[in-house]
Amino acid sequence: MCLNTNDIAPNPSHFEDSEETATPAHRDIAWNDYKDLIKGMRFFDPHIHMVSRTTDDYQAMHQAGIVALIEPAFWVGQPRTGLSSFKDYYSSLVGWERFRSSQFGIKHYCTMGLNSREANNEPLAEQVMEILPLYIYKEGVVGVGEIGFDDQTPAEEKYYRLQLELAKKAKLPVQIHTPHRDKKKGTERSMAIALEHGIDPSWVIVDHNNEETVKSVLDKGFWAAFTIYPFTKMGNERMVKVVEQYGPERIMVNSAADWGISDPLAIPKTAALMKMRGISDETIRLVTYQNAIDAFGKSGQIDVTDFESGYAIDHTEKFHGNSILRGGQQPVPAKDSLVIN
Amino acid sequence: MSDIIKQNLWDIIVLNTSESEAEWLQNRAASSRMDLMTAFVAAPRFLSKKIIFINQDQQFALNAEIPGFSVEGWSLVRLARVWLLTQLDPSDKEDYVKDIETLFDTAEMNELVALYAALPVLSYPDQWLFRATDAVRSNMGFVFDAIALHNPYPEKHFSELAWNQLVLKTIFNDKPIHFIEGLDNRANEKLAMTLSDFAHERWAAGRSVPAQVWRLAGRFMNTTLLADMQHLFDSEQVDDRKAAALACNDSSLAPAHYLLAKYIDLEKSVKSGALAWADLEH
Ligand SMILES: [Zn+2]
């Protein structure tokens, strides 16, 4: 998630490694040729920043079978200068963005938190903590997140701990962002502190894992989330290998798509790749849908009846001809047509 | 706001909650301001998701206290939120306004709906005028509906300009204007003329306007509107012809009645009362 604007410009990704040569993911296989493999599957993206995405993304996601998503509160790319911009941002996550998503037939949830990078602005962080309770109890807020470490400073630790307590009091899951630099140590430290605060690891989703961190995360009883982000270490071919090695238990995939070069279809594409590589439908269902619902559903805020029926069938049918759009959803324009109606 | 309205709302809540839900609400109402505000936010986590039941007497009592105020069709959460707002102590105006403003600033859509629905029962009604006109500008349909439809606040407090915006946007969004409280009371000539302009734009685009909107025109009939009436009488839509007949009948202008007299059947049903605006309310 995106705390690394100051790093190398071309790939402002969750995982970028400046010394790594960028190689595009999905280079051999055309998505269009393989998307039929996942026809009828439903997906849940537990980490995606829709404020940075377009209506085209929403339509493509809907068509690819994404029925629900979680938008964690994050760093918007430049520092916020006052409490009001935090308020406006948090409000947009439960207000306009949630509404916008519903217009495209995708159920929108979010997690609320003070991100680690901005925890370092202590006077502002202090004010944010005062209004955060008004946000975490809102309908559809499924966790406190994404919180954790970036530079692993004392201020980051202070606000991470305070927010763990907030999550405990509100009986909400915790979505942990693990740092890009010194990831292994940062991940271990994040987990140790959560345990120190008496938080049940089955209530904690540790995000942005890789092959180096996954074993320890699973062994300790936490959920291990993997972010599929282009040009980075965690491409979806390696994701397939992780699932082959560890199985589906407590593992979930997300796109963490944001304002960087990222892919809102990371989950359906990874599912298609898994299918090609012979991974069972049930395993695919667990890591691209059900596990996220089980983990974040502990909040009591996810009612699967809001999205599980109605999206499983062919949605394009519903948008056709003169049929009535459900709940005032946005019609899909004919993008190939010169004439705009 | 009056203690009677608080009690009225509570009586409805009692009929729609379990014992533990009612107890939770009363505990929250008796706690600190911040806890009360958090309860406003957290209500859906503690109350069942359902539409409330209300009997005739209760609706009558609400109306007697605040004409046009209704909770019919509300969810229990919305009703509870509005009731919690009535429990905020208004004696210190500065604190009270600040707390309500904070709730507005931090609100998600359902909270906004509750806040706008609560405007008629909040203290210091003039303080919320900017918020209320802002809701008319909202792109979120539910928020717009909360201020525009079944809400007596705009009729009482909106300027003519703000009122006309509200009515026009309701028409523009193809929502039923007969759900606007005070529609007839606040009809005005400017609104009738803007409506005419709007209809011309729609007609030019090959589209139509809902027939019942012409109820806003009758009392302000002039040559422009008379030409619109002729256009409606010539329409293939039967509702348009009915609207023209009704609007002409509402007018005190002689030419309007001459025009109406050309359409004998319509004239007869309007004059006899067999045809009324209510027939076009859909
Ligand atoms: Zn992120």
Side-chain angles (χ1 to χ4, degrees):
Chain A
M1 99 42 338
C2 351
L3 292 179
N4 45 1
T5 43
N6 294 339
D7 302 347
I8 303 298
N11 316 311
S13 78
H14 286 64
F15 293 109
E16 92 198 50
D17 238 0
S18 37
E19 68 269 26
E20 183 114 340
T21 324
T23 320
H26 330 303
R27 57 199 177 280
D28 302 320
I29 308 162
W31 161 236
N32 270 333
D33 298 343
Y34 290 89
K35 62 183 177 191
D36 279 352
L37 284 177
I38 54 158
K39 217 175 161 111
M41 287 188 187
R42 288 163 306 183
F43 304 109
F44 189 113
D45 191 341
H47 188 148
I48 183 164
H49 301 289
M50 294 313 296
V51 291
S52 312
R53 312 300 310 190
T54 65
T55 52
D56 282 7
D57 290 336
Y58 267 124
Q59 287 177 339
M61 288 164 69
H62 182 264
Q63 276 163 12
I66 295 171
V67 294
L69 59 83
I70 295 170
E71 176 152 9
F74 83 138
W75 158 255
V76 289
Q78 65 178 32
R80 279 169 271 228
T81 55
L83 184 62
S84 289
S85 42
F86 270 99
K87 277 201 278 191
D88 292 342
Y89 173 67
Y90 292 147
S91 296
S92 75
L93 294 185
V94 288
W96 178 243
E97 201 55 49
R98 176 184 289 177
F99 176 75
R100 199 164 79 101
S101 185
S102 74
Q103 297 290 286
F104 294 93
I106 298 176
K107 179 75 184 171
H108 184 286
Y109 301 97
C110 65
T111 58
M112 287 286 180
L114 171 67
N115 71 80
S116 47
R117 183 175 277 216
E118 285 172 293
N120 291 306
N121 180 349
E122 285 207 63
L124 187 51
E126 212 54 53
Q127 297 174 47
V128 172
M129 290 305 293
E130 277 174 33
I131 57 154
L132 210 46
L134 285 179
Y135 286 102
I136 63 169
Y137 287 100
K138 287 196 193 301
E139 246 178 306
V141 174
V142 297
V144 173
E146 50 188 302
I147 60 171
F149 287 111
D150 181 43
D151 280 340
Q152 309 194 39
T153 63
E156 289 173 18
E157 181 172 333
K158 174 183 168 188
Y159 290 101
Y160 174 51
R161 286 179 184 274
L162 284 172
Q163 293 184 89
L164 289 176
E165 285 302 316
L166 208 54
K168 218 162 79 176
K169 189 178 168 210
K171 295 198 179 67
L172 282 174
V174 177
Q175 186 171 29
I176 295 182
H177 162 85
T178 54
H180 312 278
R181 297 168 298 278
D182 205 4
K183 177 178 281 292
K184 209 170 169 185
K185 203 175 110 216
T187 305
E188 291 300 326
R189 196 169 155 204
S190 308
M191 290 191 292
I193 292 173
L195 294 173
E196 194 190 305
H197 281 260
I199 291 180
D200 181 339
S202 71
W203 283 67
V204 181
I205 297 90
V206 178
D207 225 324
H208 314 321
N209 275 278
N210 60 25
E211 294 87 338
E212 296 293 303
T213 57
V214 55
K215 186 165 187 314
S216 172
V217 170
L218 291 174
D219 285 351
K220 291 187 173 70
F222 291 81
W223 297 88
F226 289 82
T227 296
I228 311 301
Y229 206 96
F231 308 120
T232 67
K233 289 167 85 175
M234 202 66 221
N236 59 1
E237 291 181 297
R238 292 176 70 182
M239 187 66 227
V240 174
K241 293 202 182 88
V242 168
V243 172
E244 282 169 349
Q245 186 178 345
Y246 293 94
E249 199 189 335
R250 276 184 290 115
I251 284 181
M252 68 183 81
V253 181
N254 64 53
S255 73
D258 56 13
W259 32 249
I261 299 168
S262 44
D263 193 341
L265 300 185
I267 292 184
K269 285 177 181 175
T270 304
L273 199 62
M274 287 179 182
K275 180 90 180 166
M276 274 178 68
R277 301 284 157 85
I279 289 177
S280 77
D281 283 11
E282 179 58 10
T283 293
I284 296 173
R285 193 182 76 86
L286 289 171
V287 301
T288 60
Y289 182 76
Q290 193 62 47
N291 287 350
I293 294 171
D294 291 347
F296 289 98
K298 287 171 185 284
S299 64
Q301 293 299 297
I302 297 181
D303 181 355
V304 292
T305 57
D306 285 341
F307 54 81
E308 73 177 354
S309 54
Y311 299 119
I313 40 165
D314 184 9
H315 346 290
T316 54
E317 199 57 36
K318 285 201 157 64
F319 290 110
H320 243 271
N322 296 320
S323 69
I324 292 161
L325 301 177
R326 260 172 307 138
Q329 282 167 16
Q330 302 287 330
V332 180
K335 294 215 175 78
D336 299 335
S337 171
L338 176 69
V339 179
I340 300 169
N341 278 308
Chain B
M1 106 276 328
S2 75
D3 286 340
I4 301 171
I5 204 83
K6 288 190 208 176
Q7 189 56 45
N8 287 342
L9 292 172
W10 181 253
D11 291 344
I12 303 169
I13 287 175
V14 170
L15 275 188
N16 286 279
T17 44
S18 68
E19 214 170 294
S20 63
E21 286 174 322
E23 202 178 312
W24 179 79
L25 279 168
Q26 285 201 307
N27 282 337
R28 298 284 91 189
S31 58
S32 71
R33 299 182 81 92
M34 188 61 188
D35 280 352
L36 202 153
M37 289 160 73
T38 311
F40 174 89
V41 172
R45 293 183 187 230
F46 296 91
L47 302 174
S48 48
K49 287 195 168 123
K50 63 174 187 190
I51 300 297
I52 56 155
F53 165 82
I54 172 170
N55 64 40
Q56 292 276 319
D57 289 349
Q58 289 169 328
Q59 182 51 54
F60 186 79
L62 282 181
N63 240 296
E65 204 50 29
I66 304 175
F69 185 65
S70 156
V71 299
E72 212 154 338
W74 285 17
S75 67
L76 174 60
V77 169
R78 194 199 303 192
L79 177 66
R81 279 176 166 158
V82 171
W83 178 79
L84 282 166
L85 292 174
T86 67
Q87 302 301 302
L88 259 184
D89 179 4
S91 51
D92 184 325
K93 183 177 176 186
E94 206 175 307
D95 280 354
Y96 180 81
V97 170
K98 188 174 144 250
D99 287 347
I100 302 276
E101 291 283 353
T102 300
L103 287 176
F104 267 110
D105 278 347
T106 58
E108 50 84 72
M109 193 172 72
N110 292 325
E111 291 166 28
L112 282 176
V113 167
L115 283 160
Y116 287 118
L119 289 185
V121 303
L122 293 186
S123 300
Y124 313 111
D126 292 346
Q127 290 289 319
W128 322 118
L129 202 53
F130 173 73
R131 294 282 182 188
T133 51
D134 225 28
V136 174
R137 287 182 277 271
S138 174
N139 282 333
M140 291 189 271
F142 291 113
V143 173
F144 176 83
D145 292 356
I147 189 68
L149 311 180
H150 301 296
N151 192 330
Y153 181 91
E155 178 192 5
K156 240 176 134 180
H157 301 282
F158 273 25
S159 68
E160 184 175 283
L161 188 69
W163 175 263
N164 290 354
Q165 279 301 336
L166 180 150
V167 177
L168 279 169
K169 201 163 167 192
T170 306
I171 298 170
F172 188 82
N173 290 340
D174 289 320
K175 298 197 172 187
I177 58 168
H178 61 284
F179 291 153
I180 300 174
E181 290 295 326
L183 189 69
D184 290 335
N185 288 343
R186 303 258 345 229
N188 61 78
E189 186 176 6
K190 257 195 198 127
L191 179 59
M193 294 315 292
T194 317
L195 173 66
S196 171
D197 286 344
F198 173 71
H200 294 172
E201 278 177 42
R202 279 263 171 122
W203 292 338
R207 303 174 63 199
S208 59
V209 290
Q212 70 148 318
V213 305
W214 298 105
R215 69 198 305 163
L216 299 167
R219 282 151 56 191
F220 309 98
M221 201 59 75
N222 57 24
T223 45
T224 308
L225 288 168
L226 268 176
D228 292 342
M229 293 305 112
Q230 186 62 65
H231 182 100
L232 291 170
F233 276 124
D234 294 339
S235 165
E236 281 168 15
Q237 302 295 323
V238 59
D239 277 359
D240 283 347
R241 300 197 294 273
K242 287 179 180 171
L246 287 161
C248 286
N249 189 51
D250 288 345
S251 169
S252 53
L253 226 58
H257 288 271
Y258 298 148
L259 181 62
L260 175 57
K262 290 191 198 164
Y263 305 90
I264 300 163
D265 289 349
L266 282 168
E267 187 188 30
K268 212 186 325 172
S269 36
V270 171
K271 300 276 185 210
S272 70
L275 176 62
W277 284 114
D279 298 317
L280 300 181
E281 289 175 354
H282 37 246

